[in-house]
Amino acid sequence: MSEPTVNPTPQQPSDPTVRRPDKYIWAIFITLVIVSIIELYSASSFEVRAANVFAPLLRHISMLLVGAAIALGLSRINYRWFIPLIPIFVIVSVALMAYVLVAGEIVNGARRAVNILGIAIQPAEFLKLSAVASIALIMSRAQEKEGVRTGGVVLSAVVVILFGGLLFSQGLTNTLLLMGISLSIMLIAGVQWKKFIVVILCYGVVAGAAVVYKVKSKNEKEKTLTTEQLAVVGEQSDDRTGTWIARIDRYMNNWGEKYNDTIVAENRQEMYAYMAQANGGLIGVMPGNSRETSRLPLAFSDYIFSIVVEDLGFVGGFLLLVVYLSLLARAGNIASRCSRAFPALLVMGMAVMIVFQALFHMAIVTGVFPVSGQPLPLISKGGSSILITSIAFGVMLSVSRFAVQNGKKKEIKAELELLPEEVRADNPAQVQ
């Protein structure tokens, strides 16, 4: 007697790939975590308390573990599920940033943080990630045969200007960094040169007007105050305009002769950072033997690259630079093989954000750029920076696992069926 025939249950479209997350991106993540633990221990002398020498290191390791868990979790989620979450993430980031500008905690002379459940969160880091994800989504939706539709370019530029305006009060570096990242994503997306140049001009005009307005407002305010009142305002205000002007003036007037400067309160961090790098020489003094970490207040965050160079020398600093650049190269390799525009722009946007921030940090610490606070991704101490960098790594790992790369027609069709219609555009950087 034959068995009854069972009609198969109709199957929903399945994920077109079952690859493992990219091992090279994981290797870069693990390498940065190892360097972070070693150098944070070396750079934490200023924070050490006699009661518990290892407290700063243990706190940092706990944040790195949380970051690793986030990266691992996101690597298991298909990148298409990030699409509806991007607007929500943007709204939350903007709301937090707006709150900080009004009632945030003052950190290093500016309103930067909001305390949530006892954890200090810096919305500026979340805002940068929001901008990257938003621009990747907008650019993928605006793709056409000739490049990118004007509406998509305009919307992306407006997002950057608005977000840059929120970041402007905390410093010029984050605003310039955001503009640089957005321009890079636009180039990768295939924005036509005429439109690209117009965007650059718009950024320049808006940024220039903002700086002029800020300086003019500061000068007019100072004219109406006495010397005593100015002193009180200087101590209580979170206006960073005077600090920016002083740093840029010092940078322009002392270019190439910083070693001749007298160490004063205004320049002691940068001077001790230069001393640390000089002390490192070619191969360094080895971790734990840093001479300057005990004198450099922000050695564990904004100036940690100077301790890396002191510990590991020029060779170690150069190799760390190569590690970051290799992340950009690997993301570019993955992006060039993606069949759709959105995953390609998403993986490149995340990599550009991390690498540009690392380059800014290194340029500031070595004196190439004017002094400004910028953490070294995944190495500097700081919960917000570690969380955002880990999210970016998780997103890249997700794209490397689930996006079709140089696939067959069947795989490409399956991916198209899974994606919303508005983000099904072909990858402009697809290598044929």
Side-chain angles (χ1 to χ4, degrees):
M1 183 176 178
S2 61
E3 296 182 359
T5 302
V6 179
N7 293 328
T9 303
Q11 295 183 353
Q12 297 297 322
S14 58
D15 289 340
T17 61
V18 290
R19 294 187 304 274
R20 295 178 180 274
D22 189 79
K23 60 183 180 181
Y24 295 102
I25 293 180
W26 264 126
I28 292 169
F29 182 89
I30 293 170
T31 299
L32 293 176
V33 166
I34 292 172
V35 173
S36 179
I37 293 172
I38 294 172
E39 291 306 317
L40 195 281
Y41 175 70
S42 180
S44 293
S45 296
F46 197 84
E47 270 201 323
V48 165
R49 300 292 181 268
N52 190 347
V53 174
F54 295 101
L57 180 63
L58 292 175
R59 288 196 300 269
H60 185 66
I61 291 176
S62 67
M63 287 304 307
L64 290 174
L65 290 175
V66 171
I70 290 173
L72 179 61
L74 291 176
S75 73
R76 297 175 179 272
I77 301 174
N78 193 306
Y79 72 89
R80 74 178 189 273
W81 294 111
F82 301 146
I83 297 173
L85 295 178
I86 290 174
I88 299 174
F89 195 80
V90 169
I91 293 171
V92 172
S93 299
V94 170
L96 286 173
M97 192 68 198
Y99 173 80
V100 163
L101 293 179
V102 176
E105 296 180 2
I106 297 180
V107 179
N108 294 331
R111 294 191 183 275
R112 303 179 189 271
V114 55
N115 196 295
I116 300 178
L117 299 176
I119 302 174
I121 300 296
Q122 295 198 15
E125 298 297 323
F126 290 79
L127 205 64
K128 284 185 283 189
L129 182 66
S130 296
V132 171
S134 300
I135 296 169
L137 184 58
I138 293 168
M139 289 285 106
S140 63
R141 286 177 170 175
Q143 290 291 313
E144 58 184 9
K145 291 183 179 180
E146 294 77 17
V148 180
R149 290 191 294 274
T150 301
V153 178
V154 171
L155 182 57
S156 295
V158 169
V159 167
V160 172
I161 291 172
L162 291 177
F163 284 16
L166 291 172
L167 292 170
F168 186 70
S169 65
Q170 295 189 356
L172 291 171
T173 309
N174 277 330
T175 304
L176 295 175
L177 179 60
L178 183 58
M179 289 180 174
I181 293 170
S182 68
L183 290 172
S184 299
I185 299 175
M186 289 181 187
L187 276 179
I188 297 166
V191 171
Q192 299 90 323
W193 280 107
K194 289 183 179 179
K195 297 177 183 178
F196 185 76
I197 293 172
V198 170
V199 171
I200 294 177
L201 293 175
C202 289
Y203 283 178
V205 170
V206 172
V211 171
V212 170
Y213 171 78
K214 197 81 170 176
V215 173
K216 186 177 180 181
S217 298
K218 178 179 182 294
N219 291 338
E220 290 179 352
K221 183 178 181 180
E222 289 179 349
K223 289 178 182 178
T224 64
L225 300 176
T226 64
T227 303
E228 292 76 11
Q229 289 174 326
L230 283 173
V232 173
V233 170
E235 292 177 0
Q236 298 178 349
S237 174
D238 61 345
D239 186 350
R240 303 282 290 171
T241 308
T243 303
W244 305 344
I245 296 173
R247 287 176 173 178
I248 293 174
D249 182 66
R250 190 164 66 246
Y251 172 79
M252 297 301 295
N253 292 334
N254 298 328
W255 176 255
E257 299 181 357
K258 299 180 186 297
Y259 56 88
N260 286 327
D261 287 357
T262 301
I263 299 178
V264 294
E266 290 76 13
N267 71 357
R268 66 179 182 132
Q269 292 202 107
E270 54 193 286
M271 294 301 292
Y272 289 146
Y274 301 149
M275 291 179 184
Q277 294 167 74
N279 188 44
L282 184 62
I283 60 174
V285 298
M286 296 296 106
N289 296 318
S290 170
R291 183 186 68 191
E292 301 302 328
T293 183
S294 60
R295 297 197 295 178
L296 188 55
L298 296 179
F300 48 83
S301 56
D302 291 348
Y303 285 89
I304 197 168
F305 185 68
S306 63
I307 305 303
V308 171
V309 175
E310 185 177 18
D311 286 349
L312 306 177
F314 171 81
V315 173
F318 177 76
L319 290 177
L320 183 59
L321 172 62
V322 170
V323 171
Y324 281 111
L325 293 178
S326 66
L327 175 65
L328 188 61
R330 186 58 186 172
N333 180 270
I334 294 171
S336 67
R337 292 185 279 115
C338 289
S339 62
R340 304 296 103 198
F342 176 66
L345 295 175
L346 194 60
V347 70
M348 280 303 298
M350 296 298 159
V352 167
M353 180 185 73
I354 293 172
V355 175
F356 272 31
Q357 186 165 315
L359 293 176
F360 266 60
H361 175 98
M362 294 176 181
I364 291 167
V365 170
T366 55
V368 177
F369 286 178
V371 174
S372 182
Q374 196 64 233
L376 188 59
L378 215 60
I379 293 181
S380 292
K381 180 186 174 184
S384 299
S385 178
I386 291 174
L387 291 178
I388 291 302
T389 305
S390 299
I391 291 173
F393 267 96
V395 170
M396 288 187 286
L397 290 166
S398 172
V399 171
S400 73
R401 183 177 189 182
F402 293 105
V404 171
Q405 300 175 29
N406 292 339
K408 299 178 181 179
K409 290 184 178 180
K410 183 178 180 181
E411 293 177 336
I412 294 174
K413 182 179 178 181
E415 185 178 38
L416 282 173
E417 292 176 354
L418 291 169
L419 288 172
E421 185 175 354
E422 64 270 19
V423 291
R424 293 181 179 180
D426 293 334
N427 179 12
Q430 176 73 61
V431 177
Q432 302 296 336

